[in-house]
Amino acid sequence: MATKKISIEDFHNDPELHAHVARGREVALALDANAPKLPHAVTFKSLEFVAFVSEMTPKRVELLRAAIRKSRSISELAVAVHREQSAVSKDVARLTKLGLVKVQEVSNAGHGRKRIVVPVAESISINANFAIP
């Protein structure tokens, strides 16, 4: 099995790869500078942990994982997770309200427009702090 090597030329010719490296560089510079907030990171502080967890049903977590793997339309997500489109649409609305995904309208070649579900991050980490009385 042959392995493919990535060259410097690949970084210059591929805008997506170039953008990814640029984001990584921004994060590295912020870490080196001990910045209080990292670029390309979203922090939620206003949600109560219990309220957040109650919103994150197993089916919504499954949708979020499917959206992180690949940005798709609501109907494509419904097929991917074997659920009704109306139920997926409602759950996507809740995930949008929580700030975990965005919905973008794009042209649907010859069929008008469609809504694409895009995650706000490539990964999500949850850190919970509890006050003990």
Side-chain angles (χ1 to χ4, degrees):
M1 181 169 151
T3 57
K4 182 179 178 185
K5 293 183 179 181
I6 296 176
S7 69
I8 296 295
E9 194 67 28
D10 293 326
F11 286 94
H12 296 294
N13 293 335
D14 186 335
E16 191 173 320
L17 185 58
H18 187 72
H20 184 73
V21 170
R23 284 191 306 272
R25 187 176 298 118
E26 289 176 39
V27 171
L29 288 171
L31 287 168
D32 287 345
N34 291 324
K37 183 178 178 188
L38 295 178
H40 311 289
V42 179
T43 302
F44 300 100
K45 291 187 178 183
S46 61
L47 293 174
E48 291 291 327
F49 181 71
V50 174
F52 178 79
V53 170
S54 69
E55 290 286 333
M56 291 307 297
T57 64
K59 293 198 181 271
R60 289 181 186 150
V61 170
E62 180 183 31
L63 279 176
L64 184 58
R65 283 185 175 146
I68 287 172
R69 276 187 233 110
K70 179 182 177 187
S71 295
R72 313 170 204 224
S73 70
I74 290 177
S75 60
E76 290 167 337
L77 272 175
V79 169
V81 298
H82 311 291
R83 293 181 56 205
E84 293 292 323
Q85 184 173 337
S86 61
V88 168
S89 183
K90 289 175 186 174
D91 280 346
V92 165
R94 296 304 301 166
L95 292 172
T96 302
K97 188 174 180 180
L98 288 170
L100 300 173
V101 298
K102 296 183 285 186
V103 178
Q104 300 174 341
E105 284 204 21
V106 297
S107 175
N108 189 13
H111 301 312
R113 302 189 61 74
K114 65 180 176 179
R115 296 170 57 208
I116 301 292
V117 180
V118 180
V120 298
E122 293 175 0
S123 66
I124 296 170
S125 108
I126 298 170
N127 190 8
N129 294 316
F130 294 94
I132 299 175

